[in-house]
Amino acid sequence: MMERIGTGIDGLDEALGGFPAGRSVLITGDAGCGKTIFGLRFAKSSCDMGYSTAYITAEEDSYDLHVQANSFGWNTQELEEKGMLTFIELTGIRARITEAEISMDMDPMKGNFTKILHDIPPETEVVIIDSLGGYTAKLTPYDFRNQFDLLVYELKQRGITSVLILDSATSHEFNELALFSVYGAIKLARRENPYTGRRERVMDIIKMRSTKTPTQFLSYGIGSNGIEIHNDGEDLFEEEIED
């Protein structure tokens, strides 16, 4: 039986049994849907299970992520002090790479997110990359597919369980290509409930290999405990397990 790592999100773990260990899961969604909250919760959960975890942030600094995590009662500073959680800020790294590429007459605007692999500590067992959007500038679909395939392959070869986050603009352009490479994919979205007329957040489990997956959207909110699934007790599942 495949080892699983819990996401820490009640309802989602009940639905999936956690994420398959040593595989990559893609998280996409519009701004405000909770992608970073999802990533932080998974980081906290993997640390709690004893996995050495790295959170790679391309947009926010670690201080802001600590503040956000603390607002939900997740003491990420303590996990960092214990050596269980490492935050890697790519903004400064990208700036240094850009400066070097300019000095070598290279195109600094053309993304190469496989460079992220060099920043992952060798002892890492779980990694969250939030997000890859800043590394896709000027990439053709062919370039993206090659780089994304290599990233997923190398993470699997190293036995690293990964959550790869794509912002809405990047996922709109490259989502279909990314779906072929990852083991699982979840889309976070807003929609209007046809019965209540109210806007709500929903989670779509697009794929999760070797897993019995829900056929329905999972309705969720963002509360004091982070992402909270609202579909408790409903019949959500299909009969077959995805290959």
Side-chain angles (χ1 to χ4, degrees):
M1 181 177 294
M2 181 173 286
E3 181 184 354
R4 304 265 171 170
I5 299 178
T7 67
I9 300 172
D10 292 339
L12 182 60
D13 283 336
E14 293 173 5
L16 300 177
F19 286 166
R23 301 294 188 272
S24 295
V25 176
L26 179 71
I27 304 294
T28 62
D30 296 331
C33 285
K35 299 186 298 298
T36 294
I37 296 172
F38 193 113
L40 287 170
R41 188 65 189 91
F42 184 62
K44 169 71 164 56
S45 179
S46 63
C47 288
D48 288 344
M49 294 181 68
Y51 294 100
S52 178
T53 303
Y55 195 106
I56 300 177
T57 173
E59 298 174 359
E60 300 183 67
D61 60 35
S62 59
Y63 174 81
D64 290 337
L65 292 172
H66 282 311
V67 170
Q68 189 168 178
N70 287 338
S71 70
F72 300 111
W74 311 329
N75 193 340
T76 49
Q77 292 103 321
E78 182 179 12
L79 293 173
E80 194 171 24
E81 291 167 2
K82 290 180 177 178
M84 291 300 301
L85 178 61
T86 301
F87 282 97
I88 301 171
E89 300 176 12
L90 291 184
T91 304
I93 295 172
R94 285 168 59 191
R96 292 194 296 273
I97 290 173
T98 298
E99 184 178 4
E101 289 176 340
I102 289 175
S103 68
M104 292 185 289
D105 293 326
M106 297 173 63
D107 185 354
M109 296 303 293
K110 188 168 184 178
N112 184 354
F113 48 77
T114 56
K115 295 174 182 176
I116 294 171
L117 291 165
H118 302 299
D119 301 315
I120 300 174
E123 70 277 7
T124 300
E125 298 169 288
V126 173
V127 67
I128 297 91
I129 303 177
D130 182 12
S131 73
L132 288 171
Y135 282 81
T136 60
K138 288 192 176 183
L139 289 183
T140 67
Y142 177 81
D143 289 333
F144 176 87
R145 179 67 188 273
N146 282 343
Q147 291 194 31
F148 193 79
D149 282 353
L150 179 60
L151 177 65
V152 170
Y153 173 79
E154 290 294 340
L155 289 168
K156 183 180 178 182
Q157 288 299 107
R158 289 174 60 172
I160 296 175
T161 306
S162 59
V163 166
L164 310 176
I165 298 175
L166 284 182
D167 58 76
S168 57
T170 306
S171 64
H172 178 74
E173 184 175 5
F174 296 121
N175 185 62
E176 293 303 317
L177 295 173
L179 284 175
F180 285 106
S181 303
V182 291
Y183 206 78
I186 297 176
K187 181 179 181 180
L188 308 181
R190 289 192 182 95
R191 69 167 186 176
E192 184 174 303
N193 188 310
Y195 301 104
T196 66
R198 295 181 178 180
R199 297 278 289 173
E200 65 179 10
R201 293 183 177 96
V202 293
M203 189 180 297
D204 184 9
I205 315 297
I206 298 173
K207 63 181 283 189
M208 195 68 64
R209 293 173 185 159
S210 305
T211 304
K212 186 178 180 182
T213 55
T215 55
Q216 298 183 30
F217 290 135
L218 301 181
S219 174
Y220 72 94
I222 298 176
S224 59
N225 296 316
I227 291 177
E228 301 170 347
I229 304 296
H230 296 156
N231 299 68
D232 293 342
E234 294 186 15
D235 183 13
L236 300 170
F237 300 96
E238 60 185 11
E239 294 182 358
E240 299 297 327
I241 294 178
E242 186 179 353
D243 295 331

PDB file of all heavy atoms in Angstrom, residues 164-191:
ATOM      1  N   LEU A 164       3.092  21.614  -5.758  1.00  0.00           N
ATOM      2  CA  LEU A 164       3.519  22.626  -6.707  1.00  0.00           C
ATOM      3  C   LEU A 164       2.350  23.562  -6.981  1.00  0.00           C
ATOM      4  O   LEU A 164       1.310  23.133  -7.471  1.00  0.00           O
ATOM      5  CB  LEU A 164       3.984  21.968  -8.015  1.00  0.00           C
ATOM      6  CG  LEU A 164       4.993  20.819  -7.862  1.00  0.00           C
ATOM      7  CD1 LEU A 164       5.293  20.186  -9.211  1.00  0.00           C
ATOM      8  CD2 LEU A 164       6.273  21.305  -7.200  1.00  0.00           C
ATOM      9  N   ILE A 165       2.513  24.825  -6.629  1.00  0.00           N
ATOM     10  CA  ILE A 165       1.431  25.801  -6.746  1.00  0.00           C
ATOM     11  C   ILE A 165       1.634  26.663  -7.992  1.00  0.00           C
ATOM     12  O   ILE A 165       2.729  27.158  -8.231  1.00  0.00           O
ATOM     13  CB  ILE A 165       1.366  26.682  -5.482  1.00  0.00           C
ATOM     14  CG1 ILE A 165       1.065  25.808  -4.251  1.00  0.00           C
ATOM     15  CG2 ILE A 165       0.310  27.771  -5.631  1.00  0.00           C
ATOM     16  CD1 ILE A 165       1.102  26.571  -2.930  1.00  0.00           C
ATOM     17  N   LEU A 166       0.569  26.808  -8.761  1.00  0.00           N
ATOM     18  CA  LEU A 166       0.577  27.688  -9.930  1.00  0.00           C
ATOM     19  C   LEU A 166      -0.465  28.778  -9.731  1.00  0.00           C
ATOM     20  O   LEU A 166      -1.602  28.493  -9.347  1.00  0.00           O
ATOM     21  CB  LEU A 166       0.249  26.917 -11.212  1.00  0.00           C
ATOM     22  CG  LEU A 166       1.339  26.022 -11.821  1.00  0.00           C
ATOM     23  CD1 LEU A 166       0.815  25.401 -13.114  1.00  0.00           C
ATOM     24  CD2 LEU A 166       2.607  26.806 -12.093  1.00  0.00           C
ATOM     25  N   ASP A 167      -0.087  30.031 -10.009  1.00  0.00           N
ATOM     26  CA  ASP A 167      -1.059  31.121  -9.942  1.00  0.00           C
ATOM     27  C   ASP A 167      -2.031  31.010 -11.111  1.00  0.00           C
ATOM     28  O   ASP A 167      -1.828  30.242 -12.053  1.00  0.00           O
ATOM     29  CB  ASP A 167      -0.352  32.470  -9.960  1.00  0.00           C
ATOM     30  CG  ASP A 167       0.501  32.645 -11.199  1.00  0.00           C
ATOM     31  OD1 ASP A 167      -0.059  32.897 -12.274  1.00  0.00           O
ATOM     32  OD2 ASP A 167       1.736  32.505 -11.088  1.00  0.00           O
ATOM     33  N   SER A 168      -3.113  31.790 -11.062  1.00  0.00           N
ATOM     34  CA  SER A 168      -4.180  31.664 -12.052  1.00  0.00           C
ATOM     35  C   SER A 168      -3.721  31.983 -13.464  1.00  0.00           C
ATOM     36  O   SER A 168      -4.112  31.315 -14.429  1.00  0.00           O
ATOM     37  CB  SER A 168      -5.365  32.563 -11.674  1.00  0.00           C
ATOM     38  OG  SER A 168      -4.951  33.908 -11.545  1.00  0.00           O
ATOM     39  N   ALA A 169      -2.858  33.014 -13.621  1.00  0.00           N
ATOM     40  CA  ALA A 169      -2.402  33.389 -14.960  1.00  0.00           C
ATOM     41  C   ALA A 169      -1.568  32.276 -15.578  1.00  0.00           C
ATOM     42  O   ALA A 169      -1.752  31.912 -16.752  1.00  0.00           O
ATOM     43  CB  ALA A 169      -1.591  34.678 -14.898  1.00  0.00           C
ATOM     44  N   THR A 170      -0.661  31.707 -14.788  1.00  0.00           N
ATOM     45  CA  THR A 170       0.190  30.637 -15.289  1.00  0.00           C
ATOM     46  C   THR A 170      -0.610  29.374 -15.554  1.00  0.00           C
ATOM     47  O   THR A 170      -0.419  28.700 -16.572  1.00  0.00           O
ATOM     48  CB  THR A 170       1.315  30.330 -14.292  1.00  0.00           C
ATOM     49  OG1 THR A 170       2.026  31.534 -13.996  1.00  0.00           O
ATOM     50  CG2 THR A 170       2.272  29.301 -14.849  1.00  0.00           C
ATOM     51  N   SER A 171      -1.514  29.029 -14.642  1.00  0.00           N
ATOM     52  CA  SER A 171      -2.290  27.808 -14.815  1.00  0.00           C
ATOM     53  C   SER A 171      -3.224  27.914 -16.018  1.00  0.00           C
ATOM     54  O   SER A 171      -3.489  26.920 -16.695  1.00  0.00           O
ATOM     55  CB  SER A 171      -3.095  27.495 -13.548  1.00  0.00           C
ATOM     56  OG  SER A 171      -4.053  28.496 -13.279  1.00  0.00           O
ATOM     57  N   HIS A 172      -3.717  29.115 -16.303  1.00  0.00           N
ATOM     58  CA  HIS A 172      -4.582  29.301 -17.473  1.00  0.00           C
ATOM     59  C   HIS A 172      -3.820  28.974 -18.748  1.00  0.00           C
ATOM     60  O   HIS A 172      -4.380  28.384 -19.685  1.00  0.00           O
ATOM     61  CB  HIS A 172      -5.100  30.741 -17.526  1.00  0.00           C
ATOM     62  CG  HIS A 172      -5.948  31.026 -18.721  1.00  0.00           C
ATOM     63  ND1 HIS A 172      -7.247  30.565 -18.843  1.00  0.00           N
ATOM     64  CD2 HIS A 172      -5.678  31.715 -19.876  1.00  0.00           C
ATOM     65  CE1 HIS A 172      -7.746  30.953 -20.010  1.00  0.00           C
ATOM     66  NE2 HIS A 172      -6.816  31.654 -20.654  1.00  0.00           N
ATOM     67  N   GLU A 173      -2.530  29.329 -18.783  1.00  0.00           N
ATOM     68  CA  GLU A 173      -1.723  29.123 -19.990  1.00  0.00           C
ATOM     69  C   GLU A 173      -1.156  27.718 -20.085  1.00  0.00           C
ATOM     70  O   GLU A 173      -1.097  27.129 -21.169  1.00  0.00           O
ATOM     71  CB  GLU A 173      -0.581  30.137 -20.017  1.00  0.00           C
ATOM     72  CG  GLU A 173       0.269  30.077 -21.268  1.00  0.00           C
ATOM     73  CD  GLU A 173       1.310  31.181 -21.313  1.00  0.00           C
ATOM     74  OE1 GLU A 173       1.437  31.937 -20.321  1.00  0.00           O
ATOM     75  OE2 GLU A 173       1.996  31.290 -22.343  1.00  0.00           O
ATOM     76  N   PHE A 174      -0.738  27.142 -18.930  1.00  0.00           N
ATOM     77  CA  PHE A 174       0.012  25.891 -18.974  1.00  0.00           C
ATOM     78  C   PHE A 174      -0.639  24.737 -18.224  1.00  0.00           C
ATOM     79  O   PHE A 174      -0.040  23.660 -18.122  1.00  0.00           O
ATOM     80  CB  PHE A 174       1.416  26.112 -18.386  1.00  0.00           C
ATOM     81  CG  PHE A 174       2.269  27.068 -19.180  1.00  0.00           C
ATOM     82  CD1 PHE A 174       2.767  28.218 -18.577  1.00  0.00           C
ATOM     83  CD2 PHE A 174       2.571  26.818 -20.498  1.00  0.00           C
ATOM     84  CE1 PHE A 174       3.578  29.088 -19.292  1.00  0.00           C
ATOM     85  CE2 PHE A 174       3.371  27.686 -21.227  1.00  0.00           C
ATOM     86  CZ  PHE A 174       3.873  28.830 -20.625  1.00  0.00           C
ATOM     87  N   ASN A 175      -1.846  24.921 -17.699  1.00  0.00           N
ATOM     88  CA  ASN A 175      -2.456  23.921 -16.836  1.00  0.00           C
ATOM     89  C   ASN A 175      -2.562  22.548 -17.493  1.00  0.00           C
ATOM     90  O   ASN A 175      -2.238  21.530 -16.884  1.00  0.00           O
ATOM     91  CB  ASN A 175      -3.839  24.384 -16.380  1.00  0.00           C
ATOM     92  CG  ASN A 175      -4.473  23.431 -15.381  1.00  0.00           C
ATOM     93  OD1 ASN A 175      -3.952  23.222 -14.301  1.00  0.00           O
ATOM     94  ND2 ASN A 175      -5.595  22.835 -15.756  1.00  0.00           N
ATOM     95  N   GLU A 176      -3.028  22.504 -18.728  1.00  0.00           N
ATOM     96  CA  GLU A 176      -3.225  21.220 -19.392  1.00  0.00           C
ATOM     97  C   GLU A 176      -1.903  20.473 -19.552  1.00  0.00           C
ATOM     98  O   GLU A 176      -1.852  19.243 -19.445  1.00  0.00           O
ATOM     99  CB  GLU A 176      -3.883  21.432 -20.761  1.00  0.00           C
ATOM    100  CG  GLU A 176      -5.311  21.958 -20.678  1.00  0.00           C
ATOM    101  CD  GLU A 176      -6.223  21.054 -19.859  1.00  0.00           C
ATOM    102  OE1 GLU A 176      -6.138  19.819 -20.025  1.00  0.00           O
ATOM    103  OE2 GLU A 176      -6.995  21.572 -19.034  1.00  0.00           O
ATOM    104  N   LEU A 177      -0.826  21.213 -19.812  1.00  0.00           N
ATOM    105  CA  LEU A 177       0.482  20.583 -19.935  1.00  0.00           C
ATOM    106  C   LEU A 177       0.955  20.040 -18.595  1.00  0.00           C
ATOM    107  O   LEU A 177       1.489  18.927 -18.514  1.00  0.00           O
ATOM    108  CB  LEU A 177       1.501  21.591 -20.473  1.00  0.00           C
ATOM    109  CG  LEU A 177       1.276  22.113 -21.893  1.00  0.00           C
ATOM    110  CD1 LEU A 177       2.269  23.220 -22.206  1.00  0.00           C
ATOM    111  CD2 LEU A 177       1.387  20.990 -22.905  1.00  0.00           C
ATOM    112  N   ALA A 178       0.750  20.821 -17.536  1.00  0.00           N
ATOM    113  CA  ALA A 178       1.202  20.403 -16.212  1.00  0.00           C
ATOM    114  C   ALA A 178       0.466  19.159 -15.722  1.00  0.00           C
ATOM    115  O   ALA A 178       1.044  18.310 -15.042  1.00  0.00           O
ATOM    116  CB  ALA A 178       1.028  21.554 -15.218  1.00  0.00           C
ATOM    117  N   LEU A 179      -0.801  19.039 -16.082  1.00  0.00           N
ATOM    118  CA  LEU A 179      -1.612  17.923 -15.605  1.00  0.00           C
ATOM    119  C   LEU A 179      -1.065  16.567 -16.031  1.00  0.00           C
ATOM    120  O   LEU A 179      -1.257  15.565 -15.343  1.00  0.00           O
ATOM    121  CB  LEU A 179      -3.060  18.064 -16.093  1.00  0.00           C
ATOM    122  CG  LEU A 179      -3.920  19.102 -15.377  1.00  0.00           C
ATOM    123  CD1 LEU A 179      -5.288  19.209 -16.048  1.00  0.00           C
ATOM    124  CD2 LEU A 179      -4.078  18.748 -13.913  1.00  0.00           C
ATOM    125  N   PHE A 180      -0.393  16.516 -17.176  1.00  0.00           N
ATOM    126  CA  PHE A 180       0.133  15.246 -17.655  1.00  0.00           C
ATOM    127  C   PHE A 180       1.254  14.719 -16.767  1.00  0.00           C
ATOM    128  O   PHE A 180       1.463  13.512 -16.675  1.00  0.00           O
ATOM    129  CB  PHE A 180       0.665  15.402 -19.092  1.00  0.00           C
ATOM    130  CG  PHE A 180      -0.420  15.487 -20.131  1.00  0.00           C
ATOM    131  CD1 PHE A 180      -0.711  16.690 -20.730  1.00  0.00           C
ATOM    132  CD2 PHE A 180      -1.139  14.361 -20.512  1.00  0.00           C
ATOM    133  CE1 PHE A 180      -1.711  16.785 -21.697  1.00  0.00           C
ATOM    134  CE2 PHE A 180      -2.136  14.438 -21.467  1.00  0.00           C
ATOM    135  CZ  PHE A 180      -2.423  15.645 -22.065  1.00  0.00           C
ATOM    136  N   SER A 181       1.983  15.618 -16.113  1.00  0.00           N
ATOM    137  CA  SER A 181       3.200  15.231 -15.402  1.00  0.00           C
ATOM    138  C   SER A 181       2.968  14.861 -13.950  1.00  0.00           C
ATOM    139  O   SER A 181       3.681  14.013 -13.398  1.00  0.00           O
ATOM    140  CB  SER A 181       4.224  16.368 -15.467  1.00  0.00           C
ATOM    141  OG  SER A 181       4.507  16.718 -16.808  1.00  0.00           O
ATOM    142  N   VAL A 182       2.006  15.515 -13.298  1.00  0.00           N
ATOM    143  CA  VAL A 182       1.833  15.341 -11.859  1.00  0.00           C
ATOM    144  C   VAL A 182       1.002  14.106 -11.536  1.00  0.00           C
ATOM    145  O   VAL A 182       0.235  13.602 -12.351  1.00  0.00           O
ATOM    146  CB  VAL A 182       1.178  16.594 -11.228  1.00  0.00           C
ATOM    147  CG1 VAL A 182       2.143  17.764 -11.276  1.00  0.00           C
ATOM    148  CG2 VAL A 182      -0.140  16.938 -11.916  1.00  0.00           C
ATOM    149  N   TYR A 183       1.170  13.635 -10.304  1.00  0.00           N
ATOM    150  CA  TYR A 183       0.426  12.467  -9.823  1.00  0.00           C
ATOM    151  C   TYR A 183      -0.991  12.843  -9.426  1.00  0.00           C
ATOM    152  O   TYR A 183      -1.913  12.052  -9.542  1.00  0.00           O
ATOM    153  CB  TYR A 183       1.163  11.873  -8.624  1.00  0.00           C
ATOM    154  CG  TYR A 183       0.926  10.404  -8.410  1.00  0.00           C
ATOM    155  CD1 TYR A 183       1.564   9.449  -9.190  1.00  0.00           C
ATOM    156  CD2 TYR A 183       0.082   9.964  -7.394  1.00  0.00           C
ATOM    157  CE1 TYR A 183       1.357   8.092  -8.979  1.00  0.00           C
ATOM    158  CE2 TYR A 183      -0.122   8.614  -7.173  1.00  0.00           C
ATOM    159  CZ  TYR A 183       0.508   7.676  -7.972  1.00  0.00           C
ATOM    160  OH  TYR A 183       0.295   6.335  -7.762  1.00  0.00           O
ATOM    161  N   GLY A 184      -1.135  14.089  -8.943  1.00  0.00           N
ATOM    162  CA  GLY A 184      -2.446  14.564  -8.528  1.00  0.00           C
ATOM    163  C   GLY A 184      -2.595  16.038  -8.820  1.00  0.00           C
ATOM    164  O   GLY A 184      -1.604  16.758  -8.984  1.00  0.00           O
ATOM    165  N   ALA A 185      -3.838  16.509  -8.879  1.00  0.00           N
ATOM    166  CA  ALA A 185      -4.089  17.924  -9.155  1.00  0.00           C
ATOM    167  C   ALA A 185      -5.398  18.354  -8.501  1.00  0.00           C
ATOM    168  O   ALA A 185      -6.410  17.656  -8.584  1.00  0.00           O
ATOM    169  CB  ALA A 185      -4.153  18.188 -10.657  1.00  0.00           C
ATOM    170  N   ILE A 186      -5.338  19.517  -7.837  1.00  0.00           N
ATOM    171  CA  ILE A 186      -6.512  20.084  -7.172  1.00  0.00           C
ATOM    172  C   ILE A 186      -6.652  21.533  -7.602  1.00  0.00           C
ATOM    173  O   ILE A 186      -5.678  22.295  -7.585  1.00  0.00           O
ATOM    174  CB  ILE A 186      -6.375  20.012  -5.640  1.00  0.00           C
ATOM    175  CG1 ILE A 186      -6.309  18.546  -5.186  1.00  0.00           C
ATOM    176  CG2 ILE A 186      -7.526  20.734  -4.947  1.00  0.00           C
ATOM    177  CD1 ILE A 186      -6.077  18.378  -3.690  1.00  0.00           C
ATOM    178  N   LYS A 187      -7.856  21.909  -7.979  1.00  0.00           N
ATOM    179  CA  LYS A 187      -8.137  23.291  -8.364  1.00  0.00           C
ATOM    180  C   LYS A 187      -9.013  23.946  -7.306  1.00  0.00           C
ATOM    181  O   LYS A 187     -10.050  23.401  -6.921  1.00  0.00           O
ATOM    182  CB  LYS A 187      -8.833  23.348  -9.723  1.00  0.00           C
ATOM    183  CG  LYS A 187      -9.135  24.765 -10.193  1.00  0.00           C
ATOM    184  CD  LYS A 187      -9.800  24.771 -11.559  1.00  0.00           C
ATOM    185  CE  LYS A 187     -10.081  26.194 -12.026  1.00  0.00           C
ATOM    186  NZ  LYS A 187     -10.726  26.229 -13.362  1.00  0.00           N
ATOM    187  N   LEU A 188      -8.592  25.112  -6.824  1.00  0.00           N
ATOM    188  CA  LEU A 188      -9.375  25.907  -5.888  1.00  0.00           C
ATOM    189  C   LEU A 188     -10.050  27.020  -6.675  1.00  0.00           C
ATOM    190  O   LEU A 188      -9.414  27.691  -7.482  1.00  0.00           O
ATOM    191  CB  LEU A 188      -8.475  26.504  -4.798  1.00  0.00           C
ATOM    192  CG  LEU A 188      -7.550  25.535  -4.054  1.00  0.00           C
ATOM    193  CD1 LEU A 188      -6.744  26.279  -3.003  1.00  0.00           C
ATOM    194  CD2 LEU A 188      -8.327  24.393  -3.426  1.00  0.00           C
ATOM    195  N   ALA A 189     -11.342  27.215  -6.441  1.00  0.00           N
ATOM    196  CA  ALA A 189     -12.078  28.181  -7.270  1.00  0.00           C
ATOM    197  C   ALA A 189     -13.226  28.815  -6.496  1.00  0.00           C
ATOM    198  O   ALA A 189     -13.632  28.334  -5.430  1.00  0.00           O
ATOM    199  CB  ALA A 189     -12.627  27.489  -8.524  1.00  0.00           C
ATOM    200  N   ARG A 190     -13.708  29.921  -7.038  1.00  0.00           N
ATOM    201  CA  ARG A 190     -14.943  30.540  -6.549  1.00  0.00           C
ATOM    202  C   ARG A 190     -16.034  30.316  -7.583  1.00  0.00           C
ATOM    203  O   ARG A 190     -15.787  30.331  -8.790  1.00  0.00           O
ATOM    204  CB  ARG A 190     -14.759  32.048  -6.347  1.00  0.00           C
ATOM    205  CG  ARG A 190     -13.876  32.441  -5.176  1.00  0.00           C
ATOM    206  CD  ARG A 190     -14.036  33.935  -4.933  1.00  0.00           C
ATOM    207  NE  ARG A 190     -13.198  34.428  -3.871  1.00  0.00           N
ATOM    208  CZ  ARG A 190     -12.005  34.975  -4.057  1.00  0.00           C
ATOM    209  NH1 ARG A 190     -11.514  35.079  -5.293  1.00  0.00           N
ATOM    210  NH2 ARG A 190     -11.295  35.422  -3.050  1.00  0.00           N
ATOM    211  N   ARG A 191     -17.258  30.129  -7.117  1.00  0.00           N
ATOM    212  CA  ARG A 191     -18.390  29.990  -8.029  1.00  0.00           C
ATOM    213  C   ARG A 191     -19.648  30.488  -7.333  1.00  0.00           C
ATOM    214  O   ARG A 191     -19.666  30.671  -6.105  1.00  0.00           O
ATOM    215  CB  ARG A 191     -18.576  28.543  -8.451  1.00  0.00           C
ATOM    216  CG  ARG A 191     -19.061  27.645  -7.319  1.00  0.00           C
ATOM    217  CD  ARG A 191     -19.547  26.300  -7.804  1.00  0.00           C
ATOM    218  NE  ARG A 191     -20.131  25.535  -6.703  1.00  0.00           N
ATOM    219  CZ  ARG A 191     -20.718  24.351  -6.831  1.00  0.00           C
ATOM    220  NH1 ARG A 191     -20.780  23.781  -8.021  1.00  0.00           N
ATOM    221  NH2 ARG A 191     -21.240  23.732  -5.791  1.00  0.00           N
TER     222      ARG A 191
END
